[in-house]
Amino acid sequence: MKFNLKFLFITLFICTISVAQNKGTISGVLTDKETNNQPLPFANVLVKGTTTSANTDIDGKYSLNVNPGNYILIFSFVGYESVEQPVTVKANETIKVNQVLSSGSYTLKDVVVKSTASKEKETALLLDQKNAVVIKQSIGAQEMSRKGVSDVEAGLTKVTGITKVDGRGLFVRGLEDRYNTLLLNDLAVPSNNPFKKIIPLDIFPTDIVSVLETYKTFNPNLYGDFAGATFNIITTATGKSQTKINFGAGYTINNNLKKFLISRDATSTSDFFGFSGNERDLPSALNKTPGNQALTTDQAANGFGSGFDVKSDVAPLNTSFGVTHSEKFNVGKNQNVFQYLVSLNYENKYQIRSGADRIFNTAAGNYDNNLNTTQYKFITNSSALLGLTYKTKRLSLTSNTIYLKSTENLIQDQIGYTNSNVAQTNGIIRMNQLQQSNFFNTQLFGTYKITEDERHTLKSGVSYSTTQYELPDRKSFKGVKTDDNTTSISYTGNSITRQYLDFKGDQHISGLVEYSWKFGNEDLSKSHKLTAGYNGYMNKMGSEFRFLVSQMLKDSNNSATFPTNTPDATLRNEILNNQFTYSEGTNSTYKAMLEEFVNAGYLDLGLKFSEKFELNVGARVEQTHRDTKYKEAGSFENPYENIINDKTDILPSINTKYMVNEKSNLRFAASKTITRPVIMESYPLEFVNPDGTIERGNQFLTNSANYNFDLKYELFPTSKELISATVFTKMIDNPIERLFTTSAGSGGQIITYGNSDKAVLYGAELEFLFQLERISKSLSNFSFGANASLMDTKVTINKVFENGVNNPETITADENPSRKLQGASPWILNADLRYESVFSEKWKSSMTMVYNVYSKRIYAVGTNGLDNYYEMPYGKLDFIWQNKISDKFDVKLSIDNLLNPAYKIEMGDKSRIEITENDLTVREYKKGVGFSMNVSYTF
């Protein structure tokens, strides 16, 4: 028996060798036409009519062993046009078949966000992450679509260590908005909102975004204002001629189809689309320069185009629609490419938020304000994009023009008491506000291959932006609610106010020039790389604030009663009967101006010592000039004060990558960076709310200096899987933090900003993406991904500031005062579970459950004996069902915020004064569970 088995094995071995010797080999390289014939990894090569196939490797190479004969090869890649190629194979010969694939313009309604290699497929993004020397992450169209992302900001919450906070932007590694920077096509752009560091990314419609890169480690070509992350948005391009139309509708429990209040000034068709008229403009009767002007009876009664009246109605469904059209042409004898894209998008939302809204009194430990606030918001976002691209063999030139407009019509009712007036439980503050912002940007940028082999390349661009942020005729009245529909007011104590705030970004100009040289090896993929460049920007802006208050006239009875929703007729009669008028309450601080220049040169040297070890080392020299002009309180005739800050920062960086094996890398990064404050944080402006709370900028803020260190290990078990672990630390000098304190006079709370002494952060990030077929073949359609961020922080503070003023922080009473960093989350978790199915040849479906949660963190630092205000943990669970019914129809169904937890801010329980209230809640509301459907048609 043993003899027979030995004989059988020998016979099979000889037959196998014989068959192998008679086979032929097909090999070659796949390249990508859209990236100037760069290798195309993870593409598929199939022998038509068989199951024989291969995937291209990192260098785009493939190899197939087949029997002699005639075959047809099918080359394919997701989002690219498949190509068939006939081939004849002879025994014992190798046939070379190279192929170029062209993009099929794979665009999706649900955010077309791709890797730097312009491939939306998740495997390509993982490859991009694997090959990059810097630590960065991208999220692609394929992943964004299946997770039901409705805007770019929501999509970024799927990246490790990033969370979204309602109305406050993105937190990266637990650090809030002020630590982030935004680029648009590698060029600096301003924020359209002085209260935000970057443009709110939830206003970016998905159809105008092509690629979004998230850099978590610093490189010299990035601006030095870097601590959380730098986001680089690459606007959309097109690969073929097509038109796409989409429409969406949504319903949120306790928001839509409920009683809804909206200003009478916001009920026209133009208001519905976010384009209001000039009815809220500053009255022409007011002098150009503020003073103690009191309006005449006629001016007060007839000089305002906008009133207090609101309309009570039922909120309809949220809606969205858009159209995108693109064309692609071959031009001239050399088949150069010209393409254009036009995209128009609009969306609206009806939101209702209701809950507790309080501040504490530092003198008595009780509520200073104890209100229940209900907000009715009608929000619109509109956008337009025109993109033009011209490509030759060596030149790629793009012109983009973007216009973004956002409006928020708000009716806010605050019921309860202010200024510790506990007996007045039925007080009411009604605010009628329009917030609108405009962002216009036009860019010209391109790349040029100085040598055809791409050994020498040049990249350059210029960007021009204008912005405007307005609160025109922000009006309010304060009185007593005598019943559900009636309010009684007096004319003293600023009971009626009208505010006008206008921030104008007159011009923001940015530019870059970058030269790259690959050297040291004939094979460019193995060459070293030297990059030298310049980038910078100039920002010029100004603001003006006007404030009108009610003034009781002589012999007035000092009171009026009117229907809460329709007070205009009563108030006009009161003015005509000489009961009150409006007088200007603006002080000399009403106007301020800011000019800022940032200029930087940088060098970066990328060294490839071997296939396993790469090193990027470089430095950036960044010069900043900031000139703030403002007036102190006093006479309007006083000259402007000037604060001029000139600083030159030398910012070195090092990024290394060691390839442990073909499936894993070890990375290390270290750098020095800075953090500039948000405009409003350092702007000499006091923003007063009707409830007496104030937000005040601190013009004496200084930039923070950051020292960053990252160590990361990543494993790619397959082309669709990832396991990674990162440890990081940041040491921050002069960290910028939000704090609250009491205002002078009769109570009230001021939110302001200051520099602490030092902060140290230690943290870790964990991420994995698994195909569950590893567990069982029956789970082959399932995948599970999760990422988590853990962090510990310590801030030390000075008891006395440099100017000799005592620090009002509560913990200054301690011997060695320290606490956690304001805005930093100790932990963050994101997870998703996906199921994919195929109902028919044309109907493909995916279902995804997505969950994210962040931990308790300091919202504002406590002062004057009160503990800190804390944002409490908030978890969000979403369900998305994405369907591709045919080549033309896509349908998405979503359920948002399934758990519907309360968003909550609480004061801590470690105040140094006695607190007489049992409930420490400062702010609380629920968003509601949302249901939505989106349908798109492509032709």
Side-chain angles (χ1 to χ4, degrees):
M1 185 66 178
K2 290 182 180 179
F3 172 82
N4 290 338
L5 284 174
K6 179 187 274 190
F7 178 77
L8 179 60
F9 286 141
I10 292 172
T11 302
L12 289 172
F13 179 69
I14 294 172
C15 291
T16 301
I17 294 175
S18 176
V19 170
Q21 287 177 339
N22 290 329
K23 283 191 174 184
T25 301
I26 309 170
S27 65
V29 178
L30 265 67
T31 54
D32 185 352
K33 182 179 179 181
E34 303 305 318
T35 58
N36 297 309
N37 295 323
Q38 290 294 307
L40 183 62
F42 296 150
N44 184 257
V45 184
L46 172 68
V47 179
K48 190 173 182 178
T50 74
T51 58
T52 303
S53 66
N55 287 329
T56 55
D57 64 13
I58 292 174
D59 299 316
K61 297 178 181 178
Y62 75 94
S63 181
L64 293 165
N65 292 318
V66 296
N67 292 322
N70 297 318
Y71 300 96
I72 294 177
L73 299 182
I74 301 175
F75 300 94
S76 62
F77 185 83
V78 171
Y80 284 58
E81 297 173 352
S82 298
V83 175
E84 295 187 2
Q85 187 75 264
V87 62
T88 300
V89 178
K90 296 181 181 180
N92 304 320
E93 289 188 7
T94 297
I95 305 297
K96 292 284 186 181
V97 181
N98 298 329
Q99 183 62 51
V100 178
L101 292 185
S102 176
S103 170
S105 185
Y106 178 72
T107 59
L108 295 173
K109 162 60 186 161
D110 303 296
V111 181
V112 186
V113 177
K114 306 180 284 186
S115 75
T116 52
S118 299
K119 302 171 186 69
E120 302 90 340
K121 194 175 182 181
E122 289 176 77
T123 51
L125 290 173
L126 287 178
L127 177 67
D128 182 59
Q129 180 178 332
K130 179 180 179 182
N131 289 341
V133 179
V134 297
I135 299 176
K136 73 170 186 176
Q137 288 179 269
S138 299
I139 182 169
Q142 188 183 73
E143 183 177 358
M144 299 278 273
S145 176
R146 71 175 173 81
K147 290 182 178 179
V149 170
S150 59
D151 57 68
V152 173
E153 186 174 82
L156 283 169
T157 64
K158 316 311 175 190
V159 174
T160 309
I162 299 182
T163 56
K164 173 184 177 181
V165 179
D166 195 30
R168 292 177 51 218
L170 295 174
F171 284 51
V172 180
R173 288 178 168 175
L175 301 175
E176 61 181 322
D177 174 71
R178 79 168 64 89
Y179 295 99
N180 300 329
T181 301
L182 178 68
L183 304 177
L184 188 63
N185 299 309
D186 295 317
L187 294 163
V189 291
S191 173
N192 63 343
N193 186 331
F195 297 90
K196 305 286 178 64
K197 183 68 168 283
I198 64 176
I199 300 172
L201 295 179
D202 58 357
I203 73 172
F204 269 90
T206 59
D207 279 347
I208 72 171
V209 177
S210 172
V211 178
L212 198 148
E213 303 166 325
T214 302
Y215 293 88
K216 292 186 181 178
T217 58
F218 177 68
N219 214 45
N221 65 319
L222 301 175
Y223 282 86
D225 191 354
F226 182 105
T230 291
F231 305 119
N232 184 29
I233 296 177
I234 308 299
T235 50
T236 195
T238 179
K240 65 179 181 180
S241 300
Q242 69 174 25
T243 300
K244 184 176 183 178
I245 299 173
N246 61 74
F247 176 79
Y251 165 78
T252 302
I253 295 174
N254 293 326
N255 287 257
N256 304 98
L257 306 182
K258 293 290 184 179
K259 174 188 172 183
F260 192 84
L261 301 182
I262 188 167
S263 174
R264 285 283 181 185
D265 304 323
T267 56
S268 69
T269 301
S270 59
D271 290 311
F272 178 83
F273 289 102
F275 292 88
S276 300
N278 58 1
E279 62 272 3
R280 287 179 177 255
D281 288 355
L282 193 71
S284 58
L286 280 177
N287 297 327
K288 186 174 181 180
T289 301
N292 297 319
Q293 179 184 0
L295 299 185
T296 66
T297 298
D298 180 66
Q299 291 169 344
N302 303 312
F304 296 91
S306 172
F308 289 84
D309 283 1
V310 304
K311 179 182 179 182
S312 180
D313 209 338
V314 174
L317 299 179
N318 304 328
T319 55
S320 66
F321 53 85
V323 58
T324 301
H325 175 70
S326 58
E327 291 283 356
K328 182 177 179 181
F329 308 94
N330 291 324
V331 181
K333 296 180 180 179
N334 296 324
Q335 296 294 294
N336 298 332
V337 174
F338 173 76
Q339 54 193 40
Y340 73 84
L341 180 141
V342 180
S343 181
L344 301 173
N345 292 273
Y346 167 81
E347 69 169 1
N348 64 46
K349 298 177 184 177
Y350 294 82
Q351 290 185 355
I352 301 174
R353 302 282 188 266
S354 185
D357 190 0
R358 303 181 179 115
I359 60 175
F360 281 82
N361 188 327
T362 58
N366 61 346
Y367 299 138
D368 193 14
N369 287 4
N370 185 12
L371 302 166
N372 186 282
T373 296
T374 302
Q375 296 179 331
Y376 304 89
K377 294 182 181 180
F378 173 59
I379 301 167
T380 72
N381 291 314
S382 305
S383 69
L385 167 69
L386 172 63
L388 306 173
T389 300
Y390 178 71
K391 291 182 179 181
T392 70
K393 190 174 182 180
R394 296 168 68 170
L395 173 68
S396 177
L397 189 64
T398 299
S399 170
N400 275 339
T401 299
I402 299 176
Y403 176 69
L404 302 172
K405 183 177 182 64
S406 297
T407 66
E408 179 186 282
N409 279 281
L410 168 68
I411 301 298
Q412 175 179 280
D413 284 345
Q414 294 177 288
I415 309 298
Y417 64 83
T418 60
N419 295 326
S420 299
N421 186 10
V422 180
Q424 190 66 69
T425 58
N426 60 336
I428 180 173
I429 304 172
R430 160 69 63 83
M431 183 173 69
N432 183 325
Q433 172 184 292
L434 169 64
Q435 173 186 291
Q436 58 185 13
S437 65
N438 294 280
F439 173 86
F440 173 81
N441 174 266
T442 185
Q443 297 183 329
L444 180 66
F445 55 93
T447 58
Y448 179 69
K449 301 175 188 176
I450 300 174
T451 56
E452 192 170 341
D453 64 356
E454 297 185 59
R455 192 170 292 278
H456 300 271
T457 59
L458 185 68
K459 179 171 73 172
S460 63
V462 63
S463 169
Y464 174 80
S465 303
T466 62
T467 62
Q468 186 170 22
Y469 175 87
E470 294 180 281
L471 293 175
D473 201 2
R474 182 190 194 225
K475 43 194 171 287
S476 66
F477 59 77
K478 180 165 57 176
V480 176
K481 199 171 184 181
T482 57
D483 59 43
D484 289 344
N485 301 309
T486 310
T487 295
S488 177
I489 66 167
S490 65
Y491 299 126
T492 55
N494 296 346
S495 60
I496 305 176
T497 64
R498 307 184 85 130
Q499 299 168 292
Y500 299 81
L501 175 64
D502 189 4
F503 269 89
K504 282 187 177 179
D506 296 324
Q507 56 183 4
H508 184 286
I509 300 172
S510 65
L512 73 86
V513 178
E514 183 179 282
Y515 164 76
S516 296
W517 171 40
K518 294 181 179 179
F519 65 96
N521 198 304
E522 291 297 321
D523 185 348
L524 293 184
S525 66
K526 299 178 181 178
S527 297
H528 308 308
K529 183 178 180 180
L530 175 66
T531 301
Y534 160 86
N535 57 17
Y537 65 83
M538 181 273 288
N539 185 28
K540 183 178 181 181
M541 63 172 295
S543 69
E544 185 168 332
F545 182 71
R546 304 292 289 267
F547 188 69
L548 301 177
V549 297
S550 57
Q551 176 182 320
M552 182 182 68
L553 298 177
K554 185 178 180 181
D555 299 326
S556 168
N557 57 24
N558 192 28
S559 67
T561 300
F562 49 72
T564 305
N565 289 342
T566 55
D568 284 340
T570 301
L571 294 177
R572 187 172 187 274
N573 286 334
E574 291 287 289
I575 292 171
L576 293 174
N577 291 328
N578 294 318
Q579 296 297 304
F580 83 98
T581 188
Y582 292 105
S583 64
E584 181 140 29
T586 309
N587 62 31
S588 61
T589 65
Y590 78 104
K591 198 170 185 178
M593 291 164 282
L594 170 68
E595 288 188 1
E596 186 175 35
F597 298 86
V598 173
N599 293 286
Y602 57 88
L603 281 173
D604 184 59
L605 179 61
L607 300 173
K608 291 191 176 183
F609 293 103
S610 67
E611 291 187 359
K612 286 183 171 292
F613 183 61
E614 296 181 52
L615 169 68
N616 273 27
V617 60
R620 178 182 182 88
V621 179
E622 186 166 286
Q623 187 269 336
T624 304
H625 171 82
R626 184 182 179 100
D627 184 359
T628 305
K629 296 180 180 178
Y630 68 101
K631 289 188 176 184
E632 297 279 8
S635 171
F636 288 97
E637 304 301 322
N638 289 342
Y640 282 99
E641 301 286 335
N642 261 47
I643 297 179
I644 297 177
N645 291 313
D646 285 306
K647 183 74 182 296
T648 299
D649 293 286
I650 299 175
L651 307 173
S653 72
I654 181 172
N655 289 272
T656 65
K657 183 183 76 170
Y658 176 73
M659 188 172 72
V660 179
N661 53 51
E662 290 187 357
K663 293 186 176 183
S664 62
N665 296 320
L666 186 65
R667 303 173 183 274
F668 174 75
S671 63
K672 178 187 176 183
T673 58
I674 62 175
T675 297
R676 297 186 179 92
V678 180
I679 289 175
M680 187 59 199
E681 292 179 347
S682 62
Y683 204 70
L685 179 70
E686 188 171 271
F687 187 72
V688 182
N689 293 306
D691 62 1
T693 58
I694 297 170
E695 183 159 357
R696 177 186 293 165
N698 176 5
Q699 62 266 35
F700 300 107
L701 276 181
T702 60
N703 295 343
S704 303
N706 316 309
Y707 301 87
N708 316 289
F709 303 91
D710 292 77
L711 180 64
K712 181 176 184 178
Y713 173 77
E714 56 191 11
L715 172 66
F716 301 84
T718 69
S719 62
K720 297 180 180 181
E721 296 180 311
L722 165 69
I723 303 172
S724 71
T726 305
V727 292
F728 62 89
T729 185
K730 294 179 183 291
M731 294 176 284
I732 305 177
D733 291 339
N734 303 314
I736 302 166
E737 298 186 285
R738 179 189 299 105
L739 54 92
F740 68 90
T741 185
T742 53
S743 61
S746 57
Q749 175 181 273
I750 297 175
I751 292 288
T752 188
Y753 305 88
N755 290 108
S756 298
D757 183 27
K758 294 182 183 297
V760 180
L761 296 75
Y762 300 96
E765 290 180 339
L766 306 171
E767 180 179 16
F768 68 84
L769 174 62
F770 281 140
Q771 302 298 314
L772 296 189
E773 63 182 348
R774 283 180 168 272
I775 301 173
S776 170
K777 287 294 183 182
S778 63
L779 299 176
S780 59
N781 291 341
F782 287 89
S783 63
F784 179 66
N787 61 71
S789 178
L790 309 172
M791 185 165 65
D792 188 30
T793 64
K794 181 179 180 180
V795 175
T796 56
I797 65 170
N798 295 314
K799 294 189 176 185
V800 180
F801 295 126
E802 291 183 1
N803 59 5
V805 176
N806 290 329
N807 189 334
E809 276 201 46
T810 296
I811 62 171
T812 53
D814 298 342
E815 184 176 349
N816 295 303
S818 65
R819 53 168 169 75
K820 303 297 184 182
L821 178 67
Q822 181 267 316
S825 296
W827 56 265
I828 298 167
L829 175 65
N830 299 312
D832 68 271
L833 177 65
R834 174 180 58 171
Y835 172 75
E836 292 185 325
S837 60
V838 178
F839 294 109
S840 67
E841 183 179 346
K842 293 187 176 182
W843 185 359
K844 298 178 181 179
S845 171
S846 68
M847 298 181 186
T848 308
M849 295 289 291
V850 182
Y851 180 71
N852 55 74
V853 61
Y854 59 80
S855 64
K856 178 180 175 181
R857 58 192 174 204
I858 297 176
Y859 171 77
V861 175
T863 61
N864 300 301
L866 294 180
D867 198 358
N868 306 315
Y869 285 178
Y870 291 92
E871 263 183 307
M872 305 308 288
Y874 184 84
K876 188 168 180 285
L877 178 66
D878 303 329
F879 170 76
I880 305 97
W881 185 15
Q882 184 77 35
N883 296 271
K884 188 169 185 61
I885 297 176
S886 68
D887 293 337
K888 296 183 180 295
F889 276 104
D890 290 89
V891 179
K892 183 191 77 175
L893 302 172
S894 301
I895 305 176
D896 181 73
N897 196 33
L898 275 162
L899 303 179
N900 194 26
Y903 173 78
K904 196 171 187 180
I905 297 175
E906 284 186 2
M907 188 173 72
D909 58 3
K910 293 181 173 57
S911 294
R912 307 295 173 88
I913 62 173
E914 182 182 359
I915 302 299
T916 60
E917 307 288 356
N918 294 323
D919 188 353
L920 299 180
T921 301
V922 173
R923 186 80 172 97
E924 183 176 22
Y925 62 83
K926 287 191 174 185
K927 297 172 62 175
V929 180
F931 303 84
S932 64
M933 181 180 73
N934 184 277
V935 179
S936 64
Y937 179 74
T938 304
F939 57 94

